[in-house]
Amino acid sequence: MKYLVMVQGSQADYEAMAGKPSENSPAWSEKELQAMYAYMGEINNDLAETGELIDAQGLTEPAQARFVSKDKDGRPVITDGPYGETKEVLAGYWLLECESLERVTEIALRVTECPGPEGFVEPPVVIRAVPEAGGEC
């Protein structure tokens, strides 16, 4: 079964990684960032070695995002981020092929153990099954 493992974050989290702390997001030092990148790299390497990794990517900050929708008359509405009404956004993901929900949950728990600065609150990790074409989960 394929699963999407998603790490959530906020604009404040991205700013904290750039050295700009906020009330709930302490500033990251270069050493802490490198430790985080190394930790995530280890996870990716391990998953590639087991053959479970299909793809993994971190995403740019919400300030670089664009929201596309239509208004009530069907006209396009395009808004550049960040979006005040959105507290958390998708910060990164892994697309995995795992034997079971239990296995992908083990991987997600490992992601939650990522190092960070003191006071850092690990963002939620969400698991969603990806159904086969035409199938259901």
Side-chain angles (χ1 to χ4, degrees):
M1 181 68 139
K2 289 183 181 145
Y3 296 93
L4 191 60
V5 177
M6 301 168 281
V7 176
Q8 296 184 321
S10 68
Q11 182 64 37
D13 294 328
Y14 282 89
E15 290 172 6
M17 288 179 167
K20 300 174 197 156
S22 68
E23 182 180 334
N24 297 318
S25 298
W28 290 62
S29 69
E30 185 61 32
K31 183 177 179 181
E32 290 162 335
L33 277 174
Q34 293 307 316
M36 183 265 299
Y37 291 135
Y39 184 82
M40 293 300 184
E42 286 177 28
I43 291 174
N44 292 346
N45 291 339
D46 291 349
L47 294 169
E49 192 172 297
T50 63
E52 295 168 303
L53 181 65
I54 297 170
D55 188 30
Q57 301 292 327
L59 302 174
T60 60
E61 64 181 317
Q64 297 181 34
R66 179 170 276 183
F67 188 78
V68 179
S69 63
K70 290 184 180 180
D71 68 14
K72 63 182 176 144
D73 297 320
R75 293 182 300 248
V77 176
I78 300 168
T79 308
D80 290 333
Y83 320 110
E85 67 278 2
T86 304
K87 301 241 186 273
E88 293 179 341
V89 297
L90 181 61
Y93 69 89
W94 288 264
L95 180 59
L96 306 173
E97 178 108 31
C98 295
E99 291 181 16
S100 66
L101 181 58
E102 290 75 21
R103 171 62 182 142
V104 75
T105 300
E106 289 173 13
I107 295 165
L109 285 170
R110 184 175 173 196
V111 170
T112 68
E113 296 169 355
C114 182
E118 187 172 328
F120 166 68
V121 176
E122 184 65 44
V125 177
V126 177
I127 300 169
R128 299 280 303 270
V130 179
E132 298 297 322
E136 291 185 26
C137 295

